[in-house]
Amino acid sequence: MPTPEAEVLSVNEAFYAAFSRRDIEAMEALWSTRLEIACVHPGWDALVGRREVLHSWRAILGSPEAPEVECTAAVAHVIGEVAYVVCNEVLPGAELCATNVFVREAGNWRLVHHHAGPVASRMEEPQRKAPAKVLN
Amino acid sequence: MPTPEAEVLSVNEAFYAAFSRRDIEAMEALWSTRLEIACVHPGWDALVGRREVLHSWRAILGSPEAPEVECTAAVAHVIGEVAYVVCNEVLPGAELCATNVFVREAGNWRLVHHHAGPVASRMEEPQRKAPAKVLN
């Protein structure tokens, strides 16, 4: 039997596989149908609600410019029927850090929230004093 | 009786109040003591574990350069004993978007994860094609 953490990481991988394959159907199937969902694409305000979130994914995955994304350093934190994964997203020429929140629905982990933002080395000016800088 | 959403938003406000007042004690009291915690400061890799996360907050709040942060547009999503808030963080000259994950411990909502990243207007180059751009 896989642990809940392994189950969640597997669904997290499926999310990035759907992204990289630009597979809109697989992407839609990964999101919760029972709960309100939310999404923060890098650099943009939050989207709330199934219609708005899936609309954004259809637009992103339908674009010929959609990048391939590799997920690395994923760590799953399971709290009962809810879980979140923190991972890095490696794109051509860029690296992001993401938080993905999942809920277990009828035995399957489904996404309820995705938030991705850039890692400092790719940013012009970090906006908050970062720990490593404060400490060094 | 406040709704769970109102309770979570109140603790989310307390988080930003502790940040703005540079109140390290209040900040530490807001984080879960029972679960592993995680934190993604803007532009930086994820920190995992109480020691590392609270060390980063002590460094940030102990710095005279720590900015005041105003939380706006907060929306709480409650899933049983777990909740997440998506909100904007308005700093002097910058705006971030944040995801904060909470868990109910002995009746009190406590932070288990904080992830903040910049909003596009402050970034040099958005790394992923953003929905608004794809759609326009």
Side-chain angles (χ1 to χ4, degrees), chain B residues 47-94:
Chain B
L47 305 174
V48 178
R50 189 169 180 86
R51 194 181 151 278
E52 208 171 342
V53 171
L54 295 186
H55 188 62
S56 76
W57 282 109
R58 279 191 292 272
I60 290 167
L61 302 186
S63 161
E65 291 172 49
E68 288 205 10
V69 183
E70 189 194 351
C71 169
T72 65
V75 178
H77 304 258
V78 178
I79 312 164
E81 301 295 292
V82 182
Y84 68 96
V85 172
V86 181
C87 58
N88 289 338
E89 299 182 353
V90 182
L91 290 78

Coordinates of all heavy atoms in Angstrom, one line a residue, chain B residues 47-94:
Chain B
L47 N 11.5 26.5 2.8 CA 12.1 26.1 4.1 C 11.1 25.1 4.7 O 9.9 25.3 4.6 CB 12.2 27.3 5.1 CG 13.0 28.5 4.5 CD1 12.9 29.7 5.5 CD2 14.4 28.1 4.3
V48 N 11.6 24.0 5.3 CA 10.8 23.0 5.9 C 11.3 22.8 7.4 O 12.5 22.6 7.6 CB 10.8 21.7 5.1 CG1 10.0 20.6 5.8 CG2 10.3 21.9 3.7
G49 N 10.3 22.7 8.3 CA 10.6 22.4 9.7 C 10.6 23.6 10.6 O 10.9 24.7 10.1
R50 N 10.1 23.4 11.8 CA 9.9 24.5 12.7 C 11.2 25.3 12.9 O 11.2 26.6 12.9 CB 9.4 23.9 14.1 CG 9.0 25.0 15.0 CD 8.2 24.4 16.2 NE 7.8 25.5 17.1 CZ 6.7 26.3 16.9 NH1 5.9 26.0 16.0 NH2 6.5 27.3 17.7
R51 N 12.3 24.6 13.1 CA 13.5 25.3 13.4 C 13.9 26.3 12.3 O 14.2 27.5 12.5 CB 14.7 24.3 13.6 CG 15.9 24.9 14.3 CD 17.0 23.8 14.5 NE 18.3 24.5 14.4 CZ 18.9 24.8 13.3 NH1 18.4 24.5 12.1 NH2 20.1 25.4 13.4
E52 N 13.9 25.8 11.1 CA 14.3 26.6 9.9 C 13.3 27.7 9.6 O 13.7 28.8 9.4 CB 14.4 25.6 8.7 CG 15.5 26.1 7.7 CD 15.7 25.1 6.6 OE1 15.4 23.9 6.8 OE2 16.2 25.5 5.6
V53 N 12.0 27.4 9.7 CA 11.0 28.4 9.4 C 11.1 29.5 10.4 O 11.1 30.7 10.1 CB 9.6 27.8 9.3 CG1 8.5 28.9 9.2 CG2 9.5 26.8 8.1
L54 N 11.0 29.2 11.7 CA 11.0 30.3 12.7 C 12.3 31.0 12.8 O 12.4 32.2 13.0 CB 10.7 29.7 14.1 CG 9.3 29.1 14.2 CD1 9.0 28.7 15.6 CD2 8.2 30.1 13.7
H55 N 13.4 30.4 12.4 CA 14.7 31.0 12.3 C 14.6 32.1 11.3 O 15.1 33.3 11.4 CB 15.8 30.0 12.0 CG 17.2 30.5 12.0 ND1 17.8 31.0 13.1 CD2 18.1 30.6 11.0 CE1 19.0 31.4 12.8 NE2 19.2 31.2 11.6
S56 N 14.0 31.8 10.1 CA 13.9 32.8 9.0 C 13.0 34.0 9.5 O 13.3 35.1 9.2 CB 13.3 32.1 7.8 OG 11.9 31.9 7.9
W57 N 12.0 33.7 10.3 CA 11.1 34.8 10.7 C 11.8 35.7 11.7 O 11.6 36.9 11.8 CB 9.8 34.3 11.2 CG 8.9 33.9 10.1 CD1 8.5 32.7 9.8 CD2 8.2 34.8 9.2 NE1 7.7 32.7 8.7 CE2 7.5 34.0 8.3 CE3 8.2 36.2 9.1 CZ2 6.7 34.6 7.3 CZ3 7.4 36.8 8.0 CH2 6.7 36.0 7.2
R58 N 12.6 35.1 12.6 CA 13.4 35.9 13.6 C 14.3 36.8 12.8 O 14.5 37.9 13.2 CB 14.1 34.9 14.6 CG 13.2 34.4 15.7 CD 13.9 33.8 16.8 NE 14.6 32.5 16.4 CZ 14.0 31.3 16.4 NH1 12.8 31.2 16.9 NH2 14.6 30.3 16.0
A59 N 14.9 36.2 11.8 CA 15.9 37.0 11.0 C 15.2 38.2 10.3 O 15.6 39.3 10.3 CB 16.6 36.1 10.0
I60 N 14.0 37.9 9.7 CA 13.3 38.9 8.9 C 12.8 40.0 9.9 O 13.0 41.2 9.7 CB 12.1 38.3 8.1 CG1 12.7 37.4 7.0 CG2 11.2 39.4 7.6 CD1 11.6 36.6 6.3
L61 N 12.1 39.6 11.0 CA 11.5 40.5 11.9 C 12.5 41.3 12.7 O 12.3 42.3 13.2 CB 10.4 39.8 12.8 CG 9.3 39.1 12.0 CD1 8.3 38.6 13.0 CD2 8.6 40.0 11.0
G62 N 13.7 40.6 12.9 CA 14.7 41.3 13.7 C 15.5 42.3 12.9 O 16.3 43.1 13.4
S63 N 15.2 42.4 11.6 CA 16.0 43.3 10.7 C 15.3 44.7 10.7 O 14.0 44.8 10.6 CB 16.0 42.8 9.3 OG 16.3 43.9 8.4
P64 N 16.0 45.8 10.8 CA 15.4 47.1 10.8 C 14.8 47.4 9.4 O 14.0 48.3 9.3 CB 16.5 48.1 11.1 CG 17.8 47.3 10.9 CD 17.5 45.8 11.1
E65 N 15.2 46.6 8.4 CA 14.6 46.8 7.1 C 13.3 46.1 6.8 O 12.8 46.1 5.7 CB 15.7 46.3 6.0 CG 16.9 47.2 6.0 CD 18.0 46.6 5.1 OE1 17.6 46.2 4.0 OE2 19.1 46.5 5.5
A66 N 12.8 45.3 7.8 CA 11.6 44.5 7.6 C 10.5 45.5 7.3 O 10.2 46.5 8.0 CB 11.3 43.7 8.8
P67 N 9.8 45.3 6.2 CA 8.7 46.2 5.8 C 7.4 46.0 6.5 O 7.2 45.0 7.1 CB 8.5 45.9 4.3 CG 8.8 44.4 4.2 CD 9.9 44.2 5.2
E68 N 6.6 47.1 6.5 CA 5.2 46.9 7.0 C 4.4 46.2 5.9 O 4.7 46.5 4.7 CB 4.5 48.2 7.3 CG 5.1 48.8 8.6 CD 4.1 49.7 9.3 OE1 2.9 49.8 8.9 OE2 4.5 50.4 10.3
V69 N 3.5 45.3 6.2 CA 2.8 44.6 5.2 C 1.3 44.7 5.5 O 0.8 44.5 6.6 CB 3.1 43.1 5.2 CG1 2.4 42.3 4.1 CG2 4.6 42.9 5.1
E70 N 0.5 45.1 4.4 CA -0.9 45.2 4.6 C -1.5 44.0 3.8 O -1.1 43.8 2.6 CB -1.5 46.5 4.1 CG -2.9 46.7 4.4 CD -3.5 47.9 3.6 OE1 -2.7 48.6 2.9 OE2 -4.7 48.0 3.6
C71 N -2.4 43.3 4.4 CA -3.1 42.2 3.7 C -4.4 42.7 3.1 O -5.2 43.3 3.8 CB -3.4 41.1 4.7 SG -4.4 39.8 4.1
T72 N -4.6 42.4 1.8 CA -5.9 42.8 1.2 C -6.4 41.6 0.4 O -5.7 40.7 0.1 CB -5.6 44.0 0.2 OG1 -4.8 43.5 -0.9 CG2 -5.0 45.2 0.9
A73 N -7.7 41.7 0.1 CA -8.4 40.8 -0.8 C -8.3 39.3 -0.3 O -8.2 38.4 -1.1 CB -7.9 40.9 -2.2
A74 N -8.3 39.1 1.0 CA -8.1 37.8 1.6 C -9.4 37.0 1.4 O -10.5 37.4 1.7 CB -7.8 37.9 3.0
V75 N -9.2 35.7 0.9 CA -10.4 34.8 0.7 C -9.9 33.5 1.4 O -8.9 33.0 1.2 CB -10.7 34.5 -0.7 CG1 -11.8 33.5 -0.9 CG2 -11.1 35.8 -1.5
A76 N -10.8 33.0 2.4 CA -10.5 31.8 3.1 C -11.3 30.6 2.5 O -12.5 30.8 2.2 CB -10.9 32.0 4.6
H77 N -10.6 29.5 2.4 CA -11.2 28.3 1.9 C -11.1 27.2 3.0 O -9.9 26.8 3.3 CB -10.5 27.8 0.7 CG -10.5 28.8 -0.5 ND1 -11.3 28.7 -1.5 CD2 -9.7 29.9 -0.6 CE1 -11.1 29.8 -2.3 NE2 -10.1 30.5 -1.8
V78 N -12.2 26.8 3.7 CA -12.1 25.9 4.8 C -12.5 24.5 4.3 O -13.5 24.3 3.7 CB -13.0 26.4 6.0 CG1 -12.9 25.4 7.1 CG2 -12.5 27.8 6.4
I79 N -11.6 23.5 4.7 CA -11.9 22.1 4.3 C -11.8 21.3 5.6 O -10.7 20.8 5.9 CB -10.9 21.6 3.3 CG1 -10.8 22.6 2.1 CG2 -11.3 20.2 2.7 CD1 -9.5 22.3 1.2
G80 N -12.8 21.3 6.4 CA -12.8 20.6 7.7 C -11.9 21.3 8.6 O -12.1 22.5 8.9
E81 N -10.9 20.6 9.1 CA -9.9 21.1 10.1 C -8.7 21.8 9.4 O -7.7 22.1 10.1 CB -9.5 20.0 11.0 CG -10.6 19.3 11.8 CD -11.3 20.3 12.7 OE1 -10.7 20.7 13.7 OE2 -12.5 20.6 12.5
V82 N -8.7 21.9 8.1 CA -7.6 22.5 7.4 C -8.2 23.7 6.6 O -9.4 23.6 6.2 CB -6.9 21.5 6.4 CG1 -5.7 22.2 5.7 CG2 -6.4 20.3 7.2
A83 N -7.5 24.7 6.4 CA -8.0 25.9 5.6 C -6.8 26.5 4.9 O -5.6 26.4 5.3 CB -8.6 26.9 6.5
Y84 N -7.1 27.2 3.8 CA -6.0 28.0 3.2 C -6.6 29.4 2.8 O -7.8 29.5 2.5 CB -5.4 27.3 2.0 CG -6.2 27.1 0.8 CD1 -6.2 28.1 -0.3 CD2 -7.1 26.0 0.6 CE1 -7.0 27.9 -1.4 CE2 -7.9 25.9 -0.5 CZ -7.8 26.8 -1.5 OH -8.6 26.6 -2.6
V85 N -5.8 30.4 2.9 CA -6.2 31.7 2.6 C -5.3 32.2 1.4 O -4.1 32.0 1.4 CB -6.0 32.7 3.8 CG1 -6.2 34.2 3.4 CG2 -6.9 32.3 4.9
V86 N -6.0 32.8 0.4 CA -5.2 33.4 -0.7 C -5.5 34.9 -0.5 O -6.6 35.4 -0.3 CB -5.7 32.9 -2.0 CG1 -4.9 33.6 -3.1 CG2 -5.6 31.4 -2.1
C87 N -4.4 35.7 -0.5 CA -4.5 37.1 -0.3 C -3.4 37.9 -0.9 O -2.4 37.3 -1.4 CB -4.5 37.5 1.2 SG -3.1 36.9 2.1
N88 N -3.6 39.2 -1.0 CA -2.5 40.0 -1.5 C -1.7 40.6 -0.3 O -2.3 40.9 0.7 CB -3.0 41.1 -2.4 CG -3.5 40.6 -3.8 OD1 -3.1 39.5 -4.2 ND2 -4.4 41.3 -4.4
E89 N -0.5 40.9 -0.5 CA 0.4 41.5 0.5 C 0.9 42.8 -0.1 O 1.6 42.8 -1.1 CB 1.6 40.7 0.9 CG 1.2 39.3 1.5 CD 2.4 38.5 1.9 OE1 3.6 38.9 1.6 OE2 2.3 37.4 2.5
V90 N 0.4 44.0 0.5 CA 0.8 45.3 0.0 C 2.0 45.8 0.8 O 1.8 46.0 2.0 CB -0.3 46.2 -0.1 CG1 0.1 47.6 -0.7 CG2 -1.5 45.7 -0.8
L91 N 3.2 45.9 0.2 CA 4.3 46.5 0.9 C 4.6 47.8 0.3 O 4.2 48.1 -0.8 CB 5.5 45.5 0.7 CG 5.5 44.2 1.3 CD1 4.6 43.2 0.6 CD2 7.0 43.6 1.4
P92 N 5.5 48.6 1.0 CA 5.8 49.9 0.3 C 6.5 49.6 -1.0 O 7.6 49.0 -1.1 CB 6.8 50.5 1.3 CG 6.5 49.8 2.6 CD 6.1 48.4 2.3
G93 N 5.9 50.0 -2.1 CA 6.5 49.9 -3.4 C 6.4 48.5 -4.0 O 7.0 48.3 -5.1
A94 N 5.6 47.6 -3.4 CA 5.6 46.2 -4.0 C 4.2 45.6 -3.6 O 3.6 45.9 -2.6 CB 6.7 45.4 -3.5

